[in-house]
Amino acid sequence: MLVDNRCGSMRANVPFCDCRVGTKVLLLTSAEDLGCTPGFQQKVFHIDQPAEFIEDQAILNLTFSDCKGNDKLHYEVSSPYFKVNNDGSLVALRNVTAVGKTLFVHARTRHAEDMAELMIVGGKDIQGSSQDIFKFARTSPVPRQKRSIVVSPILIPENQRQPFPRDVGKVVDSDRPEGSKFRLTGKGVDQEPKGIFRINENTGSVSVTRSLDREMIAAYQLFVETIDVNGKTLEGPVPLEVIVIDQNDNRPIFREGPYVGHVMEGSPTGTTVMRITAFDADDPATDNALLRYNIRQQTPDRPSPNMFYIDPEKGDIVTVVSPALLDRETLENPKYELIIEAQDMAGLDVGLTGTATATIMIDDKNDHSPKFTKKEFQATVEEGAVGVIVNLTVEDKDDPATGAWRAAYTIINGNPGQSFEIHTNPQSNEGMLSVVKPLDYEISAFHTLLIKVENEDPLVPEVSYGPSSTATVHITVLDVNEGPVFYPDPMMVTKQENISVGSVLLTVNATDPDSLQHQTIRYSIYKDPAGWLNINPINGTVDTMAVLDRESPFVHNSVYTALFLAIDSGNPPATGTGTLLITLEDVNDNAPFIYPTVAEVCDDAKNLSVVILGASDKDLHPNTDPFKFEIHKQTVPDKVWKISKINNTHALVSLLQNLNKANYHLPIMVTDSGKPPMTNITDLRVQVCSCKNSKVDCNAAGAPHFSTTAVLLLSLFSLARKLTKAQAIVFSYVFPQKSIQEETFIF
């Protein structure tokens, strides 16, 4: 290492002196005449700190050789204020006053790489970011302190090749006692990953045992100390930082795909479509991760092979063609695929590349109005029919997948009765004109509609709807033989039941809607479930041909329903149907009846109650209850049978004394409340049975066996639902051993 401050002097090994003011130049003799050793021919230099490093003024010449021609030699400097030119000269990129104590220069080719250290004599430590201090390292060198152990940061390029181990630095201890040794500790030595670094305990040389990967670990913080023969620390530990120098061993990767962008047709030149960026795992503070973007390929390449441009630094894709060329309707394909390439090393040829596909869609805007394919459309429809009668066709050059293409139709004239509606067919975009209210030929045989068509989306301001966006539809209504119509429908009449046969109920009336045709109408019965009615086929008079009975099973809720037909004389004839509802008023024509008609009683019963009788009537009030119960004629001596009223519909039959075992017939007469009333006499058969030891013997000649309890329970079931509170008290007095609730529950 030789420094000459005297301009023009010649010293040994210093073949050249640059006499620019304030500059100290260090020249290295070539080592090639001594046999080629790859790397810097001199690796450590001292430079006096000038008042200012002048821009583009040579400070130092460095000699590097890979012994194979230095193809694609590349230099990196640890300070962003300096660079090394291709000829090896170190120059400042601008006027610089403060540099720091140390600069590092890293040189590499495909065959070799090496590091040179430049010590700035009189330089001061610079407080700042690590990127400003060392472009491809993490921190600045460890400042020296007042101690005998002297360490400098060790810089090791990643991905070094064999042989290993190789020396990468040295620790110096000027005051190390005799017999002491160096010891190295930390992550990468005695901590995982173990065994990467070693130190010669006698000389202080630090070596690396294998290739490093900066993307795995960018720096190692080690500690150096001196120890005595017993392992006791004499000095230290002193931190030693090992910085892994990045190599360009990672390609740019596009990680956020798929990349799809949209741009509206007709957009101005320079419209940003999308941003696409890549990731490089190399050191972001170096050119190894400094990416530049370009478009490698565009498909399709029409109408211009350069429809888009990508900002090489930001990755923004913008349009570069005029708005007129960005017309979706004239493009061969509204979708473009771009092959985007990202290259590190700031785009230099030596950089690594990665690619991705960006898809750009040219979106449609509503710059074309829909137009009818013709000005007039014709349609025919039969009167009385509904449904689609004609499809209206339109053309629209916009994108069928958007509201700029989808049509919306409106009837703007000719539809005062709202008989027509129009809807859009979503597949064909046609307007489907429908009749929703049946048309009447006799009222109007022709209709003319004026229809306009618009898009769901509004048109762009420079486009408007023109005359082609309206059309006329002429509709012809065809006459159809319509069936006669009854009026009113349904027809209603009220009559008493049991009116005499042949009584006229009403005269039906049906008219023919075909007023322009002269047709006659004939009537007939379509549905007469009981066969009670007759109709005059000419004039429609309806009379009875049987007695009307409100209690008939064909009558529901006192209403009898019949259907009639009216048939015109057209060809073919048309038929209309009318409904007749006959409300039948009740007449007291049904006598009441009693239940049950059989009862049992024990010959030694203490309770002489026999049975509770109920009465029912098919008629309606006031022709039903209250009913009157009587014993018509007794066949036994007087004061044996007794009947007592319980309520309007029930009575109690009881004995006044015990009877011998036998069958007895008791005529019960029940009368309703109609005017005039109706009476019915029914035999109540009472069996007097022998009841001993819980056995009931009712054997009498030809007499069927019935349980008194069963008969009573049947009667109770009917009665319990009709008893008032007061009547229930009377019932409990007559049958003290029975509970109305219990009997009702049993049933």
Side-chain angles (χ1 to χ4, degrees):
M1 174 180 62
L2 298 173
V3 179
D4 190 352
N5 294 329
R6 297 168 300 161
C7 182
S9 67
M10 297 294 293
R11 300 176 60 192
N13 299 324
V14 182
F16 176 78
C17 177
D18 190 335
C19 296
R20 284 175 283 189
V21 177
T23 303
K24 285 74 177 178
V25 180
L26 175 65
L27 298 180
L28 304 178
T29 59
S30 172
E32 293 182 359
D33 57 339
L34 302 177
C36 184
T37 300
F40 283 106
Q41 302 307 302
Q42 188 166 339
K43 300 185 180 182
V44 181
F45 307 92
H46 288 80
I47 302 175
D48 290 338
Q49 169 74 56
E52 185 176 40
F53 288 99
I54 307 303
E55 180 180 356
D56 289 335
Q57 198 170 75
I59 302 169
L60 179 71
N61 278 357
L62 303 173
T63 301
F64 175 89
S65 175
D66 65 357
C67 301
K68 293 188 179 182
N70 285 354
D71 183 35
K72 295 183 180 180
L73 174 61
H74 179 69
Y75 292 99
E76 291 175 325
V77 184
S78 61
S79 172
Y81 309 126
F82 297 89
K83 72 174 182 178
V84 176
N85 293 324
N86 291 336
D87 61 0
S89 59
L90 173 70
V91 298
L93 295 175
R94 60 182 176 85
N95 294 346
V96 181
T97 57
V99 176
K101 289 186 175 183
T102 308
L103 290 179
F104 297 93
V105 178
H106 178 226
R108 75 167 179 266
T109 68
R110 292 182 297 175
H111 304 291
E113 60 181 320
D114 201 3
M115 186 79 65
E117 181 178 4
L118 285 65
M119 309 293 292
I120 309 298
V121 179
K124 298 180 179 180
D125 287 339
I126 297 177
Q127 301 299 321
S129 67
S130 61
Q131 292 185 7
D132 289 336
I133 295 173
F134 184 38
K135 183 178 176 185
F136 48 84
R138 207 165 61 85
T139 62
S140 63
V142 177
R144 300 194 177 192
Q145 302 177 5
K146 292 181 179 180
R147 58 188 177 219
S148 59
I149 297 179
V150 180
V151 297
S152 295
I154 298 175
L155 292 88
I156 306 175
E158 66 173 332
N159 303 324
Q160 286 184 319
R161 298 178 181 178
Q162 295 284 354
F164 290 106
R166 65 169 64 187
D167 291 343
V168 292
K170 187 172 184 179
V171 177
V172 178
D173 187 347
S174 58
D175 297 330
R176 183 162 64 94
E178 185 176 352
S180 62
K181 297 180 180 180
F182 290 102
R183 181 165 64 188
L184 187 66
T185 59
K187 181 179 180 179
V189 182
D190 56 349
Q191 300 174 22
E192 293 295 340
K194 296 180 180 180
I196 296 178
F197 303 101
R198 301 176 184 171
I199 190 169
N200 187 307
E201 60 184 12
N202 296 316
T203 65
S205 294
V206 179
S207 60
V208 64
T209 62
R210 59 177 181 265
S211 176
L212 303 181
D213 185 352
R214 189 205 69 86
E215 285 71 47
M216 295 291 291
I217 302 177
Y220 297 85
Q221 190 67 43
L222 308 180
F223 297 92
V224 180
E225 58 186 343
T226 56
I227 59 175
D228 60 17
V229 293
N230 297 319
K232 181 179 179 181
T233 301
L234 299 176
E235 184 178 356
V238 175
L240 169 61
E241 186 169 27
V242 178
I243 300 169
V244 183
I245 301 175
D246 186 44
Q247 301 294 309
N248 192 18
D249 57 347
N250 289 277
R251 293 182 178 276
I253 299 174
F254 291 90
R255 300 191 298 186
E256 300 175 357
Y259 299 93
V260 180
H262 294 264
V263 62
M264 190 70 69
E265 65 171 328
S267 295
T269 302
T271 299
T272 299
V273 180
M274 62 191 298
R275 172 173 288 186
I276 177 171
T277 57
F279 168 79
D280 195 310
D282 291 320
D283 188 352
T286 69
D287 287 350
N288 295 336
L290 184 58
L291 304 182
R292 293 295 181 263
Y293 301 93
N294 69 89
I295 299 175
R296 292 286 303 272
Q297 181 179 334
Q298 170 191 303
T299 306
D301 59 359
R302 291 187 294 272
S304 168
N306 299 303
M307 298 284 289
F308 306 95
Y309 165 79
I310 188 168
D311 186 304
E313 296 183 3
K314 298 180 180 179
D316 289 338
I317 300 176
V318 299
T319 62
V320 294
V321 295
S322 66
L325 287 181
L326 207 62
D327 184 355
R328 186 190 172 283
E329 285 72 41
T330 61
L331 293 177
E332 176 183 339
N333 190 337
K335 180 173 75 173
Y336 286 87
E337 289 191 351
L338 307 180
I339 304 299
I340 306 298
E341 179 184 72
Q343 187 170 29
D344 59 21
M345 297 301 296
L348 295 177
D349 290 342
V350 295
L352 303 177
T353 61
T355 60
T357 299
T359 302
I360 299 178
M361 306 297 299
I362 311 301
D363 291 339
D364 186 40
K365 64 180 180 181
N366 198 9
D367 54 352
H368 295 86
S369 62
K371 298 179 180 180
F372 283 101
T373 57
K374 52 186 178 181
K375 290 296 295 179
E376 294 184 349
F377 294 85
Q378 305 291 331
T380 59
V381 58
E382 292 183 348
E383 66 172 330
V386 295
V388 178
I389 58 174
V390 66
N391 290 324
L392 310 178
T393 53
V394 295
E395 293 178 346
D396 195 316
K397 295 181 180 179
D398 291 313
D399 184 0
T402 66
W405 177 82
R406 292 191 291 270
Y409 298 86
T410 306
I411 302 173
I412 59 178
N413 195 14
N415 191 28
Q418 305 301 310
S419 298
F420 302 93
E421 286 183 358
I422 187 167
H423 300 280
T424 304
N425 185 319
Q427 281 74 39
S428 64
N429 219 25
E430 295 178 347
M432 300 181 295
L433 180 62
S434 303
V435 176
V436 294
K437 293 182 181 179
L439 304 177
D440 192 339
Y441 172 85
E442 283 70 31
I443 295 177
S444 177
F446 301 96
H447 296 268
T448 300
L449 305 180
L450 184 61
I451 297 176
K452 72 174 180 180
V453 61
E454 298 174 319
N455 287 132
E456 290 183 2
D457 292 347
L459 295 173
V460 295
E462 60 268 21
V463 178
S464 60
Y465 296 103
S468 297
S469 296
T470 59
T472 302
V473 182
H474 300 285
I475 302 167
T476 300
V477 182
L478 303 178
D479 188 23
V480 174
N481 186 24
E482 301 171 83
V485 178
F486 283 88
Y487 182 82
D489 190 26
M491 301 162 281
M492 292 181 286
V493 65
T494 301
K495 297 291 182 181
Q496 280 193 342
E497 64 173 333
N498 299 335
I499 60 175
S500 59
V501 176
S503 298
V504 175
L505 301 180
L506 81 164
T507 298
V508 300
N509 180 39
T511 59
D512 194 335
D514 300 306
S515 57
L516 301 181
Q517 303 179 28
H518 300 288
Q519 297 183 138
T520 59
I521 297 176
R522 294 181 63 84
Y523 300 96
S524 64
I525 296 175
Y526 176 58
K527 187 176 183 181
D528 178 17
W532 291 341
L533 307 178
N534 178 61
I535 188 170
N536 187 305
I538 305 300
N539 59 23
T541 299
V542 179
D543 57 10
T544 64
M545 57 183 296
V547 175
L548 306 183
D549 183 7
R550 192 200 66 82
E551 290 75 35
S552 168
F554 299 106
V555 177
H556 302 283
N557 297 324
S558 301
V559 177
Y560 181 72
T561 303
L563 301 179
F564 297 95
L565 298 178
I567 306 171
D568 65 19
S569 58
N571 186 19
T575 301
T577 304
T579 302
L580 173 61
L581 302 177
I582 305 173
T583 301
L584 296 175
E585 296 178 340
D586 187 42
V587 173
N588 193 17
D589 57 349
N590 289 277
F593 57 91
I594 66 169
Y595 57 88
T597 59
V598 177
E600 288 181 356
V601 65
C602 293
D603 56 1
D604 59 352
K606 295 180 180 179
N607 186 346
L608 298 179
S609 298
V610 177
V611 69
I612 295 175
L613 297 179
S616 183
D617 196 316
K618 293 182 180 180
D619 293 318
L620 300 176
H621 285 289
N623 297 321
T624 56
D625 60 89
F627 299 112
K628 181 181 178 182
F629 295 89
E630 299 175 280
I631 298 176
H632 183 50
K633 290 180 180 180
Q634 295 197 45
T635 59
V636 295
D638 294 338
K639 298 183 180 181
V640 174
W641 301 98
K642 180 182 178 181
I643 189 165
S644 304
K645 179 179 179 180
I646 297 176
N647 58 23
N648 289 343
T649 58
H650 288 77
L652 173 64
V653 176
S654 59
L655 283 169
L656 299 178
Q657 63 184 38
N658 288 327
L659 296 179
N660 294 328
K661 178 181 176 182
N663 289 338
Y664 299 88
H665 293 272
L666 184 64
I668 303 297
M669 181 171 67
V670 59
T671 305
D672 62 23
S673 298
K675 294 181 180 179
M678 294 194 72
T679 298
N680 183 24
I681 299 174
T682 304
D683 278 347
L684 173 63
R685 184 167 59 184
V686 180
Q687 294 178 285
V688 179
C689 307
S690 174
C691 304
K692 294 180 180 180
N693 299 325
S694 301
K695 294 183 179 180
V696 179
D697 182 9
C698 295
N699 287 330
H705 177 75
F706 292 94
S707 169
T708 302
T709 303
V711 173
L712 286 173
L713 290 177
L714 286 169
S715 301
L716 287 172
F717 175 71
S718 173
L719 171 62
R721 301 174 63 182
K722 300 184 179 181
L723 289 178
T724 65
K725 182 175 182 181
Q727 293 164 344
I729 294 173
V730 174
F731 177 80
S732 64
Y733 175 77
V734 177
F735 294 97
Q737 76 280 19
K738 296 185 178 292
S739 166
I740 293 176
Q741 288 185 336
E742 291 176 357
E743 297 294 338
T744 305
F745 176 78
I746 292 172
F747 280 88

